[in-house]
Amino acid sequence: MDAIRKASGHLQSYLPSLEFNQEHHRRINEEIGQQLSVDEVLQHPEFPHVNWALKPDRKERIDVAAGRGGPFKISYELHGHGPKKIIWIMGLGGYMKTWQRQTKDFGHTEGDQYSSLVFDNRGIGESDKPLLRYTTFEMARDVVELLDHVGWTESRSIHVVGISMGGMIAQELMFVADHSQALQIPTRICSLNFISTAPRIVRTLPYLENVRNRIDLMWPKALGAQISKVKADCYSAEWLKKPDETESVVQPFPTNGDRFAAGELTKRLLPGAFTRQGFLCQLYAAGFHHKSALQLKQLADAVGRERIMVLHGTGDHMIDFVHGKMLLAELGGEESGVTKSFHDGMGHVAPFEIRHEFKTIIAGRVAKTEKMAN
């Protein structure tokens, strides 16, 4: 516990010592109106079915990080058996079930065309939660070991989709420990898709406010207050207040925000899945991620700019839109061949807010880049 508090103190000292403006949370919650309480979500007939029973073709817990603070276990699932291989890298505090819409859309509905690899990063879900200093680079090395284990080693065979901290991890797939030269992994990548992420965090007030809120949320508070803040940080009010758009097993939730709350509650109430220790270790990795403009140029040179996409929402209040613009520019911009996919008003979680459009975008990236010469 002392180590956890020390890590939290380190992160808090990194932030400006000022009173953060809570106007954004107040405005979002006022705009979306009354949503289900925690008790009402738990009693809703759809709650037991909020995580779908998507049977994987393969599921394991494997050892990674031997000699790097490990070994420890990483849990993964492989859905589908098609030739088009996609690895989905989740962000801070999210676990593999958070990808279930994409798991279903690609690994089941079109499982003869796609193979979808989802996994729990160290620190979350069914993976181990070792107490040590996490970095996005070390988490990327976990990913490379996972790819080696499942045999995804062929040239230009892998489509990488990384959201938020997962996009930071995806950036690190290119570099060795001294960040001076490429690993073998760039030659495996067919498309590299950065979703709502940043090369490094610049001091925009909304991001710093949200990081501090996330730290504070790990101390005892009512679940309703925790989920209310996550809603405001990660989603647009427009999406939260819409009727539940996701297919239901028994009956829909009243709103998208209520379904999100149900998914978040299943994670937070599952014993051992979402721990203070694991969350803070991940938060440390995301908070101190840093890629310079020169390193981004090296990344783009290694992968190929036509294979890279930057997707971001102008309404992102977790990683402000300025970071998406910065990432796009430092990779070389549209004029160099990088694909820009910016969305007016969208929040932080495109796979939820624009699920069907997101599927079309990723499928298009797969199709386009697989036609390219090596």
Side-chain angles (χ1 to χ4, degrees), residues 52-72:
W52 301 326
L54 299 173
K55 185 178 179 181
D57 291 77
R58 183 171 166 188
K59 177 180 174 70
E60 290 182 289
R61 296 180 78 237
I62 64 167
D63 285 334
V64 298
R68 301 189 285 114
F72 50 80

Side-chain angles (χ1 to χ4, degrees), residues 307-321:
R307 298 182 182 277
I308 300 173
M309 178 183 71
V310 176
L311 186 152
H312 217 109
T314 63
D316 190 338
H317 290 280
M318 175 49 63
I319 295 183
D320 191 270
F321 181 53

Side-chain angles (χ1 to χ4, degrees), residues 4 29 89 109 159 312 334:
I4 296 172
N29 286 308
I89 309 178
T109 303
H159 301 274
H312 217 109
E334 281 188 285

Side-chain angles (χ1 to χ4, degrees), residues 178-198:
D178 64 4
H179 290 187
S180 64
Q181 45 185 309
L183 284 169
Q184 74 273 21
I185 194 66
T187 64
R188 300 191 209 177
I189 290 175
C190 192
S191 72
L192 182 58
N193 305 284
F194 296 122
I195 317 299
S196 305
T197 193

Side-chain angles (χ1 to χ4, degrees), residues 57-215:
D57 291 77
R58 183 171 166 188
K59 177 180 174 70
E60 290 182 289
R61 296 180 78 237
I62 64 167
D63 285 334
V64 298
R68 301 189 285 114
F72 50 80
K73 298 288 187 182
I74 292 290
S75 181
Y76 80 90
E77 294 180 358
L78 189 58
H79 295 258
H81 49 272
K84 301 171 184 177
K85 301 177 176 67
I86 308 177
I87 182 168
W88 308 86
I89 309 178
M90 184 41 66
L92 173 66
Y95 64 162
M96 72 175 85
K97 292 185 185 301
T98 311
W99 287 120
Q100 69 173 350
R101 292 161 176 80
Q102 289 66 50
T103 301
K104 180 177 181 179
D105 291 344
F106 288 91
H108 288 261
T109 303
E110 299 190 48
D112 58 338
Q113 296 185 48
Y114 297 94
S115 294
S116 279
L117 179 59
V118 293
F119 67 100
D120 288 332
N121 283 308
R122 59 167 76 180
I124 195 74
E126 297 177 11
S127 290
D128 286 347
K129 302 157 189 70
L131 180 57
L132 67 157
R133 181 175 177 264
Y134 293 13
T135 65
T136 51
F137 175 71
E138 288 299 326
M139 296 173 83
R141 293 180 74 181
D142 298 345
V143 174
V144 174
E145 290 186 32
L146 173 58
L147 291 169
D148 289 345
H149 176 80
V150 298
W152 288 13
T153 58
E154 297 88 354
S155 176
R156 300 302 186 192
S157 64
I158 304 170
H159 301 274
V160 178
V161 182
I163 186 168
S164 195
M165 182 187 72
M168 299 174 182
I169 294 168
Q171 293 164 35
E172 297 283 13
L173 293 173
M174 312 307 141
F175 298 99
V176 295
D178 64 4
H179 290 187
S180 64
Q181 45 185 309
L183 284 169
Q184 74 273 21
I185 194 66
T187 64
R188 300 191 209 177
I189 290 175
C190 192
S191 72
L192 182 58
N193 305 284
F194 296 122
I195 317 299
S196 305
T197 193
R200 55 195 176 276
I201 298 302
V202 297
R203 292 189 173 224
T204 61
L205 180 61
Y207 176 80
L208 294 174
E209 177 184 347
N210 291 333
V211 168
R212 186 154 187 165
N213 286 335
R214 289 295 189 97
I215 297 172

Side-chain angles (χ1 to χ4, degrees), residues 353-371:
E353 286 204 28
I354 58 167
R355 173 185 172 185
H356 300 296
E357 183 179 357
F358 185 72
K359 179 186 177 184
T360 299
I361 290 169
I362 297 300
R365 297 291 302 153
V366 171
K368 177 182 177 179
T369 54
E370 292 211 341
K371 293 176 182 176

